[in-house]
Amino acid sequence: MDFGTTFGPTNDDTQSLLTERKLPNIPEFFLSEVKGHFTHNAIFISHLHIDHMGALQYLADTVDVYMSPEAIQLYLTLQSLNSEPATKANLKPIFPEKPVQVGELTVTAYLSDHDITGAYMFRIQDGFHEFVHSGDVRYDGPHSERVDYWTKILHDNQPDLFFIEGTEFSFENKSQHRETEASLLLDFEKVLQQTNELVVINPYQRNIERLFSLQMIARKMGRELVWNHEFATILKNQTAKHVHEIAVDVSWSEIEQEPNKYVVQNSFNDLNDLNKMNNFVYLHMNGEPLGDYDGRYAILENYLTVRNIPLQLMGASGHATETDLLKIAAAVNAKLTVPWHSFKPELENRALQKLGLKTNLPHLDEPMIFED
């Protein structure tokens, strides 16, 4: 279940990455000379974020890798753009609520809500037990009904084990105001209403639904949203209509002449393209660089400061609030709930225990054994 990394591109060899514990501790997947003891091998990917699928590029041999049809389409597009490296993964679609058999295990996927296309929750059954992998999830996104649906199913069956993500437990001093996909779109529309200047946006290319919505709102407000080649290709491959690409469908000279008729998507690598404009509004919408832990973020801030352009943050989290995570866990009411995907899982663990849930705080390489 998921096959991620916690780092970006690296020149380290695979053995070093395994030794440094930067790759999942399953050497038989990464080193051809290491023979595994598994009779059946398969990997299930909940969604296409690097911390959930980034290790696929290191596969030594062909392995069946299941993900949603939407995720496969996006993954192949990203590979064609060299935004994702080639992999030996044998990509196979898993459809919502259509079980896949892997040896004695049955895996069923359920649509969920996260800030990326084709996100799943996974349910694994062995004939005696039921284990659940939450994937990344939120409750205040556009598809909360999906989360309500699968939590009810799980509640009615009370799984033996529920792995629940805990991203929002990782951070202190959280803002009292939480932007959602809905409020972000409203804020974007307000900006378009209030300015006659060019509006520049830096969104994340894998949040396809948001990209569609941004384009729709721009057109509603009498502007054309112009994308770079990568974003334009992704949207066209997702059957989007009326996709305008910079330097292909719309030139910079056209934008300079009538900036109030356009919204321009600008990725960090294209930052210097904005030198052509004297003034513009810059909206950072979860695009890269994601935060100040990335060295490029300081470069972005400095560039805008020199240009006297405010850096306006207009993003929305793909992760449930602490309150919503507890709501989900209580609704599922598994026999054992395990927090994961958090810098501070111990905080989530204590909060879960206060609800009266039986929990286990996992440790590195700790086996969990369930007997018949």
Side-chain angles (χ1 to χ4, degrees):
M1 296 296 127
D2 281 354
F3 210 62
T5 60
T6 56
F7 60 90
T10 175
N11 294 322
D12 293 348
D13 63 88
T14 303
Q15 181 61 69
S16 296
L17 293 173
L18 281 166
T19 302
E20 296 167 10
R21 311 307 295 267
K22 292 181 177 179
L23 287 175
N25 188 24
I26 318 174
E28 49 266 56
F29 277 98
F30 303 109
L31 304 172
S32 297
E33 64 272 20
V34 177
K35 300 304 177 185
H37 61 277
F38 301 114
T39 306
H40 303 278
N41 292 331
I43 298 169
F44 290 80
I45 302 296
S46 65
H47 64 283
L48 289 183
H49 281 154
I50 188 172
D51 52 335
H52 296 261
M53 46 66 66
L56 291 177
Q57 63 179 291
Y58 298 99
L59 287 172
D61 299 304
T62 301
V63 178
D64 288 343
V65 176
Y66 292 87
M67 59 181 78
S68 68
E70 297 88 350
I72 289 177
Q73 184 179 29
L74 176 58
Y75 193 34
L76 293 175
T77 300
L78 292 170
Q79 287 182 0
S80 72
L81 292 165
N82 295 318
S83 296
E84 279 290 344
T87 174
K88 291 185 178 179
N90 179 29
L91 299 178
K92 291 188 171 185
I94 177 170
F95 297 91
E97 300 183 61
K98 301 292 183 183
V100 168
Q101 199 73 23
V102 181
E104 295 180 354
L105 299 178
T106 302
V107 181
T108 308
Y110 291 81
L111 287 171
S112 197
D113 193 336
H114 189 39
D115 57 349
I116 190 168
T117 188
Y120 276 155
M121 173 276 284
F122 286 121
R123 188 178 176 196
I124 307 97
Q125 297 161 304
D126 66 359
F128 303 96
H129 308 103
E130 182 170 319
F131 312 103
V132 178
H133 169 50
S134 73
D136 285 351
V137 60
R138 62 183 171 185
Y139 226 147
D140 56 3
H143 301 294
S144 60
E145 77 285 349
R146 296 176 180 174
V147 185
D148 282 326
Y149 176 70
W150 59 252
T151 53
K152 184 179 186 309
I153 289 175
L154 296 179
H155 174 83
D156 292 344
N157 292 272
Q158 197 181 33
D160 293 271
L161 178 66
F162 181 39
F163 284 105
I164 183 167
E165 70 119 314
T167 304
E168 287 298 325
F169 278 90
S170 302
F171 311 109
E172 297 177 357
N173 303 318
K174 288 183 280 289
S175 170
Q176 295 300 310
H177 172 72
R178 178 177 165 94
E179 194 86 84
T180 65
E181 294 292 339
S183 65
L184 180 150
L185 297 175
L186 288 173
D187 290 344
F188 176 58
E189 186 170 333
K190 288 177 183 176
V191 170
L192 298 184
Q193 288 174 337
Q194 294 169 358
T195 183
N196 286 319
E197 296 178 351
L198 172 68
V199 174
V200 177
I201 61 172
N202 183 8
Y204 188 48
Q205 78 270 42
R206 305 189 189 196
N207 192 344
I208 304 297
E209 190 167 352
R210 182 189 294 178
L211 301 184
F212 283 158
S213 297
L214 292 171
Q215 178 165 289
M216 181 183 69
I217 290 172
R219 186 162 291 131
K220 168 187 168 185
M221 301 304 294
R223 294 185 184 234
E224 196 58 62
L225 209 164
V226 187
W227 309 93
N228 70 11
H229 176 67
E230 180 182 21
F231 277 69
T233 302
I234 290 171
L235 288 169
K236 288 174 182 176
N237 286 354
Q238 295 282 337
T239 68
K241 297 179 180 179
H242 311 297
V243 177
H244 289 73
E245 183 176 340
I246 193 76
V248 175
D249 303 298
V250 178
S251 67
W252 272 109
S253 61
E254 290 176 282
I255 296 170
E256 289 178 76
Q257 291 169 16
E258 297 183 286
N260 63 338
K261 288 190 175 181
Y262 297 98
V263 174
V264 171
Q265 170 267 318
N266 181 265
S267 297
F268 178 82
N269 290 338
D270 305 323
L271 193 59
N272 288 328
D273 286 351
L274 301 178
N275 294 344
K276 303 175 176 66
M277 305 301 300
N278 292 323
N279 292 297
F280 53 88
V281 174
Y282 188 93
L283 307 177
H284 198 57
M285 296 180 165
N286 298 118
E288 295 183 350
L290 298 178
D292 55 12
Y293 56 85
D294 186 329
R296 297 174 299 170
Y297 197 81
I299 298 173
L300 171 63
E301 288 183 308
N302 183 66
Y303 175 86
L304 294 173
T305 298
V306 170
R307 299 290 308 277
N308 199 29
I309 304 292
L311 171 59
Q312 298 187 47
L313 302 181
M314 194 176 287
S317 176
H319 299 277
T321 65
E322 295 179 10
T323 299
D324 284 343
L325 286 169
L326 297 177
K327 176 181 175 181
I328 292 170
V332 172
N333 192 32
K335 296 175 185 175
L336 183 65
T337 303
V338 175
W340 68 286
H341 202 290
S342 174
F343 292 123
K344 298 179 180 178
E346 67 280 0
L347 297 183
E348 184 177 19
N349 190 62
R350 287 200 293 268
L352 292 167
Q353 290 178 339
K354 287 181 179 178
L355 293 178
L357 295 172
K358 182 181 178 182
T359 68
N360 181 63
L361 188 62
H363 300 284
L364 187 63
D365 288 338
E366 176 191 7
M368 299 184 69
I369 300 172
F370 288 78
E371 298 178 345
D372 297 346

